[in-house]
Amino acid sequence: MPNRTAGDLAIFLGCPIRGEAHITLKGVASPDRAEADDLVYLGSDRNSERVSRSAARCVITSPDLLVSGKTLILAAQPKLAFARAAGWLVPSPPIANGVHATAVVAESARLGAGSAVGPFAVIEEEVVVGEGTQVGAFCFLGRGSELGKGCRLYPRVTLYEGVKIGANVVVHSGAVLGCDGFGYVTDQGKHWKFPQMGDLEIADDVEIGSNTTIARGSLETTRVASQVKLDNLVHVAHNVQLGERTLVAAQTGIAGSSIIGSDVVIGGQVGIADHCRLEDGCVAGAQAGIPSGKVVRSGQVVWGTPARPIARFKEQYGWFARLPELAERVRNLEESGRRGH
């Protein structure tokens, strides 16, 4: 990779620069770990001293947070600019190069130009792999699955038959996409498996964390819209719909046929029961429990189990925390009453 300068970065970001535009940048780091040719950022005044002491010569900061003795790239949103800069300065290393000799690729599979397949990967019949997509070691792509261009599948990702994935999707190790949903009909002491014959469609620019599972639809389609980001160890059940730009933190489970709107934020370890609806822009705080069929309205912030508006949760929890004190007061009143008699 050619040497890149602070001036080059400022042009890429479309931001003004103050200081020495010619200095070379090779990486990104935190202020405490940075070397002279690393880039750091300053997002708040509380980190000003750390950045000032840092060995880094170039800082992304806002116009109202200036640092002396450094080359400054001035951005309205320093953290966002730093994230973009990191991808430009330090692109992700390749997952695979070419088609490894140990990979098993069906004759009817179609590999796009510049795509790569790692060791011991299996690509079944009629799979389509888009241009520039990288498939890591030990991945399994089931019959008829499709991957758009520029995707990255880290080692040991599994796609069941017929899964459709858009462009620039990142799937981390251990994720399983398109597995059967959890559906049974019980009769006379036996569980009969309900058909799990639907589809799974994942749109562009989605990122799926390690060991996350997304089930195919039962008789319909499970859909993950563009720019959705799923953390590690998330479970998405059959027929779930995830709207654009929604964020889901680790260890969250979303039960069947729930509909999650766009720009929703779901904290860690949230449990969402079946047939719920979370409208656009709402927030479910960590460990919230959302019971079957509940609707969380647009823009609402909920917490607790069962989930309720955060102001109500805080009020109720405050009383809950005072129960020992209140119980003691009740006991004292009862004793006073008995003595009075």
Side-chain angles (χ1 to χ4, degrees):
M1 181 188 300
N3 288 336
R4 287 173 162 172
T5 66
D8 296 331
L9 177 59
I11 292 170
F12 169 75
L13 295 174
C15 295
I17 184 171
R18 294 186 185 179
E20 301 178 30
H22 65 274
I23 60 173
T24 299
L25 297 174
K26 294 184 178 179
V28 296
S30 67
D32 301 326
R33 297 184 59 182
E35 298 180 359
D37 52 9
D38 285 326
L39 176 73
V40 300
Y41 84 98
L42 177 59
S44 68
D45 186 57
R46 68 176 180 270
N47 291 317
S48 294
E49 188 175 342
R50 290 177 61 211
V51 169
S52 294
R53 293 197 312 263
S54 175
R57 294 180 293 173
C58 185
V59 180
I60 293 179
T61 187
S62 60
D64 57 348
L65 281 175
L66 303 182
V67 183
S68 61
K70 307 285 187 184
T71 292
L72 305 179
I73 295 175
L74 303 178
Q77 299 182 67
K79 191 172 184 178
L80 172 61
F82 184 78
R84 292 181 59 211
W88 185 73
L89 285 170
V90 192
S92 299
I95 294 172
N97 291 292
V99 178
H100 196 274
T102 60
V104 179
V105 182
E107 289 187 8
S108 60
R110 288 184 286 153
L111 304 183
S115 59
V117 183
F120 299 103
V122 175
I123 299 180
E124 289 196 328
E125 291 80 4
E126 300 174 358
V127 169
V128 177
V129 177
E131 178 182 343
T133 284
Q134 299 178 47
V135 179
F138 294 98
C139 286
F140 175 84
L141 309 187
R143 178 191 297 269
S145 54
E146 296 180 7
L147 286 161
K149 66 180 182 179
C151 295
R152 293 171 60 84
L153 271 59
Y154 284 87
R156 299 186 186 277
V157 168
T158 297
L159 271 58
Y160 277 54
E161 177 179 356
V163 171
K164 304 293 190 291
I165 293 180
N168 303 313
V169 172
V170 178
V171 187
H172 291 276
S173 294
V176 177
L177 309 181
C179 55
D180 283 2
F182 189 71
Y184 295 89
V185 181
T186 302
D187 180 59
Q188 297 182 4
K190 183 173 181 178
H191 301 304
W192 299 85
K193 188 178 180 73
F194 193 79
Q196 304 296 315
M197 303 169 63
D199 302 314
L200 171 59
E201 296 178 358
I202 297 172
D204 298 346
D205 300 307
V206 169
E207 185 159 3
I208 298 168
S210 295
N211 297 319
T212 283
T213 57
I214 307 178
R216 67 176 57 250
S218 175
L219 300 175
E220 302 178 14
T221 300
T222 303
R223 289 189 175 88
V224 180
S226 63
Q227 282 284 327
V228 167
K229 310 297 181 184
L230 304 180
D231 199 355
N232 305 326
L233 297 166
V234 169
H235 175 66
V236 179
H238 59 236
N239 301 339
V240 167
Q241 313 290 305
L242 291 176
E244 294 180 344
R245 297 175 300 279
T246 283
L247 304 174
V248 184
Q251 298 183 336
T252 285
I254 305 174
S257 300
S258 286
I259 298 174
I260 314 299
S262 299
D263 301 299
V264 172
V265 178
I266 301 174
Q269 296 186 330
V270 171
I272 300 173
D274 60 286
H275 294 85
C276 292
R277 188 168 86 248
L278 277 65
E279 296 181 345
D280 295 352
C282 70
V283 177
Q287 296 188 327
I290 302 177
S292 296
K294 183 176 177 62
V295 177
V296 180
R297 297 300 181 189
S298 180
Q300 197 171 40
V301 179
V302 298
W303 208 5
T305 300
R308 68 214 86 162
I310 190 167
R312 187 187 308 165
F313 172 84
K314 288 180 175 180
E315 179 185 8
Q316 293 172 346
Y317 196 81
W319 283 109
F320 176 79
R322 293 183 62 191
L323 283 177
E325 171 195 339
L326 295 172
E328 181 64 25
R329 291 173 65 183
V330 170
R331 279 194 295 269
N332 292 337
L333 289 170
E334 290 174 341
E335 290 175 2
S336 297
R338 284 194 294 269
R339 287 195 297 269
H341 291 295

